[in-house]
Amino acid sequence: MRVVIVGGGQAAASVAATLRKPEFSGEILMLCQEDCLPYERPPLSKKYLLPSRANERKTIFPDAYWPAHEITAKLSCTVTGIDPIRKIAKSDHGSIGYDHLVLATGSSPRRLPERMKGNLADLCYLRSLEDAGQLRRRLACSNSLILIGGGYIGLELAATARTMGLDVTVVERDVRILNRVASTSLAGTVRNWHQHHGVRLLERTEVKAFTDDHGVTGVLLANGEKLTSDCIAVGIGASPNTALAFNAGLQINNGIAVDAFGQTSIPGIWAAGDCASFPYFGRRIRLESIQNAIDQGEAVAENILGSQREYVPLPTFWSDQFDHTIQIAGLIEPRMKAVIRDAPSGRSYWHYRDGLLQAVEVTDDPKSYSIGRRMLSERLSPSAEAISDGNRNLKDILKTCRKPVMA
Amino acid sequence: MVNWIEACAADEVENEDLIRFDHGSRTFAIYRSPDDEYFCTDGLCTHEEVHLSDGLVMDHIIECPMHNGQFDYRTGEARRTPACVALKTYPVKVENETVFIDLGDQP
Ligand SMILES: Cc1cc2nc3c(=O)[nH]c(=O)nc-3n(C[C@H](O)[C@H](O)[C@H](O)COP(=O)(O)OP(=O)(O)OC[C@H]3O[C@@H](n4cnc5c(N)ncnc54)[C@H](O)[C@@H]3O)c2cc1C
């Protein structure tokens, strides 16, 4: 049996590593567009950009892992088409037959319309090691940075650049930073960190156009104000890479649509990671996180090997900004009520809906996060009173919830 | 060479839990399993330098609080990505309600 994986990111690595079990003697082939073995993207907006850090990619597995596990990684190889009838993947390195095909093509930064760019030479986007290398060189010779977009990547970049001493402005079109991905309470805490460190945050602020006056790049805002800086970076979200799947006739719905097992609308073709949308409690969601790439990749690999494992994750995410760490388990949605718990090092936000715990957001308090995550994954719901009682130990609360209720 | 170091009182570690133990410039994690056996590993996750003592022990697994990598704390084996390098483990003995770890030849 031959499994061909399209992509060489976190999800591709997870599929390959999970497939390579002692009982699987088939061929595993990973076709990666990028020119290096799978690496971690999270550092690219964080430590990697700091001049004090070695200019080194952080690999997902040591380089020796791949040959030792007989996984063939073809680098700089772009898959250009799929023939699902003859079961062939076509690439710029030739065609190859498969028994199972896994699409782990990831996502790409959403781009601003070309017309907004005006005569500006370049706007920086961040996804790959190559992008990060360019940005690193740019930041090293810049005194100021404007970020378009106050999502996680924009805010992480803002924190990193500010740590390097640059003047930093973040422009966010929405009513607030992190509007779709964090609660109002957590966003408030994050806003404080940035303001405390001297980042200028402009929320509810729209960009009208970019300008370039003799090498000085600028941003013209809808309110008429004009900002100038040495460098402009954009982080306004990402879109799933679905062109290949679409052209092969696969169903697309906010990403490559897969069923609970990770299979696409054509049997034998699977998808995992940023590019895939999957059923989740009566609706369809797509996640962009390391946890999702690893876990969905694992489920797909096991299902290729014959399991019938449904992928029903507890979504988790983290972000590092300045000396702070945010950790989130569960999905933040409207109509949730937050209970806040303070710890010596940080704070946790426990989100309830209809009296049930739905999500936990934590800043600088990994122990509370570990326990909250465990409660959510075991579908336990501690009472809001217990959680809000700072004198009660979380681990004891966890133990109490675990006790079976007597009928 | 055997080099037993006193780490903590046995009852400082709860059942199915762990604590952090710093010695000189190094940091360790001392575990107590559900069946009340004690174990010791290096204190930082091998993936990123995060203290495992903030993580959660479930059975014989320690889960890193940051990126959810998992290790079997009895053997140090990495059990779940993103962790892929094993944790170093150290012999442990309990005498007079005190936990000792053997750092061997290491300073
Ligand atoms: C700067 C940055 C910071 C981040 N920080 C965090 C964080 O702190 N925490 C967190 O949980 N997540 C974070 N993420 C998100 C996380 O990195 C992604 O969710 C994860 O990488 C998704 O993995 P993936 O394998 O689905 O996609 P990717 O990692 O994007 O990999 C897809 C790969 O497929 C290749 N490919 C695409 N099309 C083809 C083709 N036709 N042929 C061959 N190859 C192809 C691409 O070149 C790419 O290498 C961050 C992302 C970025 C960009």
Side-chain angles (χ1 to χ4, degrees):
Chain A
M1 176 155 95
R2 181 192 286 149
V3 180
V4 173
I5 304 168
V6 185
Q10 192 81 50
S14 174
V15 172
T18 310
L19 275 177
R20 189 45 90 210
K21 297 237 168 89
E23 62 272 20
F24 180 70
S25 56
E27 214 181 314
I28 307 175
L29 197 68
M30 211 165 64
L31 308 179
C32 331
Q33 192 165 46
E34 291 183 72
D35 63 0
C36 52
L37 286 165
Y39 59 89
E40 296 192 353
R41 291 185 203 281
L44 301 184
S45 48
K46 311 175 183 95
K47 293 181 214 147
Y48 181 84
L49 297 172
L50 296 174
S52 56
R53 290 284 172 147
N55 191 357
E56 238 177 39
R57 82 194 147 104
K58 184 162 166 49
T59 54
I60 291 175
F61 294 118
D63 290 356
Y65 175 92
W66 304 99
H69 290 78
E70 296 183 28
I71 298 168
T72 309
K74 257 194 191 304
L75 303 180
S76 306
C77 171
T78 303
V79 176
T80 51
I82 302 164
D83 180 340
I85 312 272
R86 288 160 60 215
K87 294 198 159 189
I88 289 172
K90 299 170 210 160
S91 80
D92 52 3
H93 283 51
S95 294
I96 182 147
Y98 62 80
D99 296 292
H100 289 273
L101 182 74
V102 183
L103 300 173
T105 50
S107 57
S108 303
R110 205 170 286 146
R111 297 196 167 248
L112 288 167
E114 205 50 32
R115 63 183 156 73
M116 277 177 79
K117 228 175 113 181
N119 60 348
L120 192 69
D122 62 339
L123 289 172
C124 302
Y125 290 87
L126 178 57
R127 180 76 198 175
S128 64
L129 192 63
E130 197 184 334
D131 298 338
Q134 281 172 12
L135 191 57
R136 187 181 154 105
R137 287 188 291 277
R138 275 298 281 274
L139 294 181
C141 59
S142 295
N143 293 314
S144 54
L145 169 70
I146 296 175
L147 279 152
I148 313 298
Y152 283 113
I153 290 192
L155 292 170
E156 288 180 353
L157 277 176
T160 309
R162 190 68 200 120
T163 305
M164 290 165 61
L166 276 73
D167 256 325
V168 179
T169 307
V170 175
V171 183
E172 168 57 58
R173 183 175 66 175
D174 253 334
V175 293
R176 63 167 171 92
I177 54 168
L178 303 174
N179 198 20
R180 287 180 322 276
V181 284
S183 69
T184 316
S185 336
L186 175 63
T189 300
V190 175
R191 182 184 298 115
N192 286 342
W193 296 340
H194 282 264
Q195 287 172 342
H196 173 79
H197 283 91
V199 171
R200 187 169 177 222
L201 287 184
L202 305 175
E203 296 167 286
R204 277 182 208 273
T205 303
E206 190 150 3
V207 173
K208 205 164 149 200
F210 297 96
T211 57
D212 184 344
D213 296 327
H214 308 289
V216 182
T217 57
V219 177
L220 185 62
L221 302 177
N223 63 15
E225 195 188 339
K226 194 168 164 187
L227 314 170
T228 57
S229 79
D230 300 331
C231 180
I232 303 175
V234 183
I236 52 167
S239 347
N241 293 329
T242 55
L244 190 61
F246 178 80
N247 292 333
L250 298 177
Q251 197 186 322
I252 310 292
N253 181 354
N254 176 31
I256 305 170
V258 298
D259 62 15
F261 306 104
Q263 191 156 238
T264 66
S265 53
I266 298 184
I269 306 185
W270 311 73
D274 278 18
C275 67
S277 74
F278 57 93
Y280 186 76
F281 297 102
R283 58 201 162 124
R284 178 165 284 282
I285 62 169
R286 189 175 67 80
L287 299 172
E288 292 171 5
S289 73
I290 295 297
Q291 166 270 321
N292 177 63
I294 293 177
D295 295 357
Q296 200 174 20
E298 251 174 38
V300 161
E302 285 175 17
N303 291 335
I304 288 175
L305 296 180
S307 300
Q308 286 278 317
R309 180 146 91 77
E310 296 195 14
Y311 176 61
V312 188
L314 170 66
T316 66
F317 188 77
W318 85 89
S319 171
D320 298 321
Q321 297 172 32
F322 300 107
D323 291 330
H324 301 289
T325 296
I326 301 169
Q327 294 177 279
I328 304 178
L331 291 182
I332 301 300
E333 292 179 280
R335 292 190 301 110
M336 301 211 289
K337 277 213 178 85
V339 175
I340 295 178
R341 227 185 123 87
D342 280 312
S345 57
R347 187 170 255 202
S348 47
Y349 309 81
W350 301 70
H351 298 281
Y352 286 82
R353 192 163 64 190
D354 304 327
L356 287 179
L357 184 65
Q358 303 282 340
V360 179
E361 296 175 309
V362 179
T363 56
D364 304 318
D365 182 7
K367 193 99 207 180
S368 296
Y369 171 73
S370 294
I371 297 173
R373 199 177 79 82
R374 184 111 309 260
M375 288 173 175
L376 288 165
S377 66
E378 292 180 21
R379 298 196 194 292
L380 303 173
S381 185
S383 74
E385 295 79 69
I387 291 295
S388 59
D389 181 352
N391 294 321
R392 287 193 61 182
N393 173 305
L394 277 178
K395 200 150 185 196
D396 291 339
I397 301 178
L398 170 64
K399 282 184 187 147
T400 318
C401 305
R402 268 182 179 156
K403 287 214 184 86
V405 182
M406 296 296 178
Chain B
M1 208 184 77
V2 183
N3 176 15
W4 289 105
I5 306 283
E6 182 177 331
C8 61
D11 62 6
E12 263 179 73
V13 198
E14 282 182 44
N15 179 273
E16 202 171 14
D17 204 353
L18 83 165
I19 62 163
R20 168 173 165 183
F21 167 61
D22 291 344
H23 180 72
S25 59
R26 304 176 59 192
T27 183
F28 303 92
I30 315 275
Y31 306 81
R32 180 167 161 188
S33 73
D35 30 20
D36 288 323
E37 267 193 275
Y38 289 80
F39 297 90
C40 174
T41 69
D42 272 338
L44 298 179
C45 181
T46 58
H47 171 240
E48 298 249 315
E49 299 204 328
V50 171
H51 282 284
L52 291 169
S53 55
D54 289 324
L56 210 61
V57 172
M58 291 157 294
D59 230 349
H60 295 112
I61 298 293
I62 171 69
E63 183 179 68
C64 173
M66 194 56 66
H67 307 132
N68 312 341
Q70 293 183 348
F71 303 88
D72 184 328
Y73 57 79
R74 297 170 298 181
T75 59
E77 186 196 351
R79 293 288 292 274
R80 190 154 206 298
T81 46
C84 57
V85 175
L87 276 174
K88 198 165 163 20
T89 59
Y90 303 87
V92 174
K93 68 176 178 186
V94 182
E95 276 176 14
N96 302 323
E97 296 297 304
T98 304
V99 179
F100 295 87
I101 62 176
D102 177 10
L103 295 186
D105 282 332
Q106 306 190 4

